[in-house]
Amino acid sequence: MIPARVIIAYFSPTGGTKKVALALKEGCSAALVHQIKTPSFTIKLPTPEVEVTTVNCLTQKSRTKDLQLSANDLFILAYPVYFGRMPWALSKWPALQGHGASAVVVSVYGNRAIEDGERETMMLLKEHGFKVVGAIEAIAEHSQERTLAQGRPDEQDKADFKAIAAQLLAAVKQGLPEFAFDATTPLKAPGKAPAVPRILERSRCDDCGRCARMCPMQIIDPDTLEVPEDKAHLCMGCRACMAVCKMDCRGLPEQVMVAVAARMAQIKAANPERKANMLKLAH
């Protein structure tokens, strides 16, 4: 069955996951083109009545919107893996209701490992009324260390995503059963951010408040633009607040950055090969 809509939602604090989502959108749009051939030329037209859209689900406000999904839709959720787990901000998404829509999870990681992120996200979607039919493993620059998977997704990745989208939609048209995944083994313990980003140079801050508005957990005080001590444990270490700071004055203390760099160097040394993007479908 051709889906009525393809909705690609992305949670992208630093931009890598958004690039993956947009590449998948391009691939889906290309795969949903049909050809009308004549003796002298070929016309390519979009498949009638199939809408391919993206939804930014980074902020709490964006996750309050009802997507009005149905069993005729295909929902693709792209998210970054943190410490081998799903970003816990996604667990606060009450408006997300699948109503039987088919779903594919896209686990984006920085060339290290996915661990429990994939099955945790599948569990979330199943709990919210989706029929999970597959998963995609995708590579993007590591948010903590940009030289890990540097420049990805690159042109080769975009070609991969185009082929993956075509394969996915062809399988969806034929019909897919639910994806079998382990929902019983306890998830690994959640990781802890090494430190909470803060304003390092107060004189440079222009009090625009973008950091507070874009924080996925909404834990930055809009008046002080700092994270209160009693909310510090909620920080995911996603760096969204740092990424949107136009004055480049929000960050982590130097000693923390040095420790993170040392840890990332170990991870980079242990993962030197270029890991591939993968599609896994239910059988």
Side-chain angles (χ1 to χ4, degrees):
M1 179 187 71
I2 298 176
R5 295 184 302 166
V6 179
I7 301 98
I8 304 172
Y10 60 88
F11 181 95
S12 186
T14 56
T17 299
K18 180 179 180 180
K19 291 178 181 178
V20 172
L22 293 179
L24 286 170
K25 179 187 178 183
E26 184 179 347
C28 287
S29 297
L32 287 167
V33 167
H34 67 282
Q35 298 183 349
I36 300 175
K37 294 186 177 182
T38 72
S40 56
F41 58 87
T42 299
I43 302 175
K44 293 184 177 181
L45 297 172
T47 302
E49 300 179 359
V50 178
E51 179 184 10
V52 182
T53 60
T54 55
V55 176
N56 185 342
C57 60
L58 179 64
T59 65
Q60 280 191 0
K61 183 178 180 180
S62 68
R63 297 192 297 275
T64 62
K65 298 177 181 178
D66 184 1
L67 298 177
Q68 298 183 348
L69 297 166
S70 75
N72 296 322
D73 295 323
L74 173 62
F75 183 72
I76 300 174
L77 175 59
Y79 72 97
V81 174
Y82 291 144
F83 308 104
R85 293 283 300 272
M86 174 189 81
W88 55 68
L90 291 182
S91 64
K92 307 296 183 182
W93 198 350
L96 182 65
Q97 299 298 326
H99 303 292
S102 295
V104 173
V105 303
V106 184
S107 305
V108 182
Y109 69 110
N111 213 63
R112 187 186 73 84
I114 287 175
E115 298 180 286
D116 286 346
E118 181 177 276
R119 67 189 186 95
E120 181 179 15
T121 311
M122 288 182 170
M123 290 164 63
L124 171 77
L125 292 183
K126 187 171 183 178
E127 290 170 359
H128 283 254
F130 289 88
K131 174 188 174 184
V132 179
V133 297
I136 296 171
E137 297 179 4
I139 309 294
E141 279 188 5
H142 201 292
S143 61
Q144 308 293 316
E145 175 51 69
R146 292 296 184 176
T147 63
L148 192 56
Q150 188 171 13
R152 300 185 70 182
D154 54 22
E155 292 305 313
Q156 179 57 57
D157 292 315
K158 291 176 183 177
D160 290 346
F161 295 137
K162 187 172 182 178
I164 284 172
Q167 185 180 349
L168 170 61
L169 288 174
V172 169
K173 290 178 186 178
Q174 296 299 317
L176 287 169
E178 285 196 75
F179 193 93
F181 64 93
D182 177 11
T184 57
T185 301
L187 299 168
K188 64 171 293 188
K192 187 178 185 302
V196 178
R198 59 182 176 83
I199 300 174
L200 298 178
E201 296 181 61
R202 195 67 183 84
S203 61
R204 293 178 59 188
C205 178
D206 63 358
D207 294 308
C208 71
R210 281 173 57 83
C211 54
R213 292 194 299 273
M214 297 307 293
C215 173
M217 296 299 293
Q218 289 292 284
I219 58 175
I220 299 175
D221 187 297
D223 295 321
T224 66
L225 302 183
E226 298 290 5
V227 177
E229 187 175 343
D230 63 342
K231 294 184 178 180
H233 67 286
L234 296 174
C235 177
M236 298 184 298
C238 73
R239 300 197 180 191
C241 59
M242 295 168 58
V244 300
C245 181
K246 294 181 178 180
M247 306 307 293
D248 196 27
C249 62
R250 193 175 190 90
L252 298 170
E254 183 178 357
Q255 65 269 27
V256 175
M257 294 298 290
V258 170
V260 169
R263 173 58 181 151
M264 289 297 105
Q266 294 176 339
I267 292 174
K268 186 176 180 179
N271 299 274
E273 75 284 1
R274 179 187 174 95
K275 295 184 179 179
N277 304 294
M278 297 174 54
L279 170 65
K280 299 183 289 185
L281 296 173
H283 299 289

